[in-house]
């Protein structure tokens, strides 16, 4: 394997810009997906089946179809409805957020339902409303149990952000493909991209494991 360091040095600034955009896309997807996922998860848990039905459909659709199809539909059909043209970055953020929301909703639902029902009854007996009981009693306990599956989902989201290169969002894989096309080289661009993704996912895993240990000792 003959590594050409000169072309790596030439593309280093582009990989840096791509890495920053990858981090930005992932953070946006995680933040928006977590907020949406919480509301969708609570919506699916409603006792009224008529009201909870749309949330179940949303989760089924986004979990049951490939993200590749979702990003193509959002890029070529949904985003142009609002902007009048395609926008790779907007399509990537929207797709990552909507897709992760479906998975995070199920994580929230499982975490909340894992808390003993007596906790809610005890909170209500102290005079709390249902919302206050969820906010101050149920969700803090459930969150600790959600950290491992949420961490897995966030790591998957970072890797799935590579699909944004297919809609011309200039993230990490976009520049890897550009380098391959310019020099007809495979090892340099894809090994570099793989190592950067590995660093990103390992860093996130480290942060989440520290958070999990800290909450476990409280």
């Amino acid at each position: 394997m003959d590594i050409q360091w000169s072309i790596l040095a030439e593309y280093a600034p582009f990989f840096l810009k791509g890495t920053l955009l990858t981090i930005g896309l992932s953070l946006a997807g995680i933040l928006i997906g977590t907020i949406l996922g919480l509301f969708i998860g609570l919506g699916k848990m409603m006792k009224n089946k008529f009201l909870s039905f749309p949330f179940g459909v949303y989760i089924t659709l986004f979990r049951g179809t490939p993200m590749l199809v979702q990003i193509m539909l959002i890029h070529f059909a949904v985003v142009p409805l609002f902007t009048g043209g395609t926008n790779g970055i907007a399509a990537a953020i929207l797709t990552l957020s909507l897709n992760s929301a479906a998975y995070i909703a199920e994580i929230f639902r499982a975490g909340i339902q894992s808390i003993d029902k007596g906790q809610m009854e005890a909170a209500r007996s102290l005079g709390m409303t249902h919302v206050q009981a969820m906010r101050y009693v149920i969700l803090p306990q459930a969150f600790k149990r959600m950290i491992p599956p949420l961490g897995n989902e966030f790591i998957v989201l970072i890797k799935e952000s590579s699909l944004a290169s297919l809609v011309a969002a200039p993230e990490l894989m976009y520049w890897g493909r550009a380098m391959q096309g310019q020099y007809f080289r495979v090892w340099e661009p894809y090994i570099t991209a793989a190592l950067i993704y590995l660093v990103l996912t390992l860093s996130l895993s480290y942060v989440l494991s520290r958070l999990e240990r800290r909450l476990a000792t409280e």
Side-chain angles (χ1 to χ4, degrees):
M1 183 169 63
D2 177 28
I3 298 293
Q4 295 188 10
W5 299 102
S6 59
I7 62 174
L8 275 176
E10 179 185 341
Y11 261 81
F14 300 113
F15 277 119
L16 176 60
K17 287 195 294 185
T19 301
L20 293 176
L21 182 58
T22 293
I23 293 172
L25 293 176
S26 302
L27 286 177
I30 289 170
L31 181 62
I32 300 172
T34 300
I35 296 171
L36 289 177
L38 174 59
F39 285 103
I40 294 169
L42 292 174
K44 190 182 178 184
M45 291 173 60
M46 288 191 291
K47 293 180 181 178
N48 187 319
K49 292 184 178 179
F50 180 76
L51 294 178
S52 66
F53 178 74
F55 298 99
V57 171
Y58 176 92
I59 293 171
T60 300
L61 283 176
F62 275 92
R63 293 179 68 193
T65 55
M67 187 182 282
L68 176 61
V69 176
Q70 296 166 16
I71 198 169
M72 290 299 179
L73 282 172
I74 290 174
H75 181 61
F76 291 111
V78 177
V79 172
L81 286 177
F82 298 96
T83 65
T86 57
N87 184 313
I89 293 177
I93 291 175
L94 191 57
T95 305
L96 292 173
S97 302
L98 295 177
N99 183 276
S100 65
Y103 288 92
I104 292 173
E106 287 295 82
I107 293 173
F108 274 120
R109 183 185 61 79
I112 291 170
Q113 291 182 338
S114 71
I115 303 301
D116 189 89
K117 292 182 179 178
Q119 297 282 329
M120 173 61 80
E121 294 170 357
R124 295 300 298 272
S125 67
L126 292 174
M128 292 186 181
T129 64
H130 184 82
V131 174
Q132 288 174 328
M134 288 294 294
R135 180 179 177 183
Y136 296 112
V137 178
I138 303 300
L139 284 178
Q141 296 182 71
F143 180 70
K144 294 180 182 178
R145 301 182 183 182
M146 295 176 202
I147 292 176
L150 280 176
N152 288 335
E153 174 57 25
F154 295 163
I155 288 170
V156 169
L157 195 66
I158 290 176
K159 293 186 291 185
E160 295 282 21
S161 69
S162 62
L163 291 176
S165 66
L166 299 177
V167 293
E171 47 74 69
L172 186 55
M173 275 303 296
Y174 173 89
W175 291 112
R177 295 175 65 197
M179 184 178 178
Q180 183 209 358
Q182 181 175 351
Y183 293 102
F184 298 102
R185 302 283 299 180
V186 175
W187 290 109
E188 292 86 350
Y190 293 128
I191 287 180
T192 302
L195 289 175
I196 294 173
Y197 279 117
L198 184 61
V199 170
L200 293 178
T201 55
L202 288 177
S203 301
L204 181 59
S205 298
Y206 175 76
V207 171
L208 289 170
S209 64
R210 287 290 301 270
L211 178 63
E212 188 176 358
R213 284 200 297 271
R214 181 170 182 175
L215 291 176
T217 57
E218 289 180 354

